[in-house]
Amino acid sequence: MEKHVVVIFPHPDDEAFGAAGTIARFREQGIPVTYLCGTLGEMGRNMGNPTFATRESLPEIRKEELIAACQVLDIDLEMLGYRDKTIEFEDRQQIAEHLLGYLNKLKPSLVITYYPGYAVHPDHDAFGAAAVSAVSQMDQADRPELWALAIKKGKEADLGEPDLQFDITATFTQKFEAIIAHKSQASGILGGINQGPGSLDQIVRDKLSHEAFYKWVF
Ligand SMILES: [Zn+2]
């Protein structure tokens, strides 16, 4: 059983779409989970549907949504204060050291982050790379396991099938509530998923009731 799980992603809502079912499962087992969230997603294109955010109000709105989503999932939250859409230009080692500070304090048995190069968005790839670097810099004796989330289409051709594949139907409700907590983003992203026949609820269920990770080999 895990001791403490640390989730490291750059944007509010990354945790909800990518790992919330798995996170909820850990919480049901009483395992503490901390989300280290890189930015406030303040450069996001979605402004709510119908629109209720502006470029000026978006950072505060997304911060409130992030806090609400973490309450739904019953996890601790640390906001790291990076600027959205610029993480790839930050000093990688500096971010890794920042993350290391948290990891040394929290002493997780497991870290979940994006698989660098297979995470589609430059922020995702850069933050995932910094997280992998941070964990790799820990002493082998203290080093947590690392699960990497790859979302790039066709990733299996390079990486093979994910090592861990979870049916998260049992915690789907928590996951869906966490997604919906990100009000300014949810309808835009769910609308993008909702292409093709069938009800939105069923499509969302089909698409999101499965979470998969690669075990990182150091
Ligand atoms: Zn993201």
Side-chain angles (χ1 to χ4, degrees), residues 6 36 78-80 97-108:
V6 170
L36 307 182
E78 300 282 353
M79 291 177 272
L80 273 50
E97 282 170 16
H98 190 186
L99 296 173
L100 257 177
Y102 287 100
L103 298 176
N104 287 331
K105 195 175 66 179
L106 298 168
K107 303 190 189 321

Side-chain angles (χ1 to χ4, degrees), residues 118 152-162 214:
Y118 292 89
K152 190 176 174 184
K153 277 208 177 73
K155 58 185 183 291
E156 292 84 359
D158 295 344
L159 305 176
E161 291 297 324
Y214 291 89

Side-chain angles (χ1 to χ4, degrees), residues 11 13-14 114 124:
H11 306 126
D13 79 13
D14 290 337
Y114 277 124
H124 294 177

Side-chain angles (χ1 to χ4, degrees), residues 67-125:
I67 291 168
C70 289
Q71 279 168 354
V72 166
L73 294 172
D74 188 26
I75 62 176
D76 294 326
L77 169 66
E78 300 282 353
M79 291 177 272
L80 273 50
Y82 291 95
R83 281 169 59 88
D84 190 19
K85 295 207 169 147
T86 65
I87 291 180
E88 61 183 309
F89 308 113
E90 300 273 347
D91 184 285
R92 184 74 40 87
Q93 175 58 15
Q94 228 165 32
I95 301 178
E97 282 170 16
H98 190 186
L99 296 173
L100 257 177
Y102 287 100
L103 298 176
N104 287 331
K105 195 175 66 179
L106 298 168
K107 303 190 189 321
S109 55
L110 172 66
V111 167
I112 298 177
T113 192
Y114 277 124
Y115 200 123
Y118 292 89
V120 171
H121 185 296
D123 276 353
H124 294 177
D125 285 331

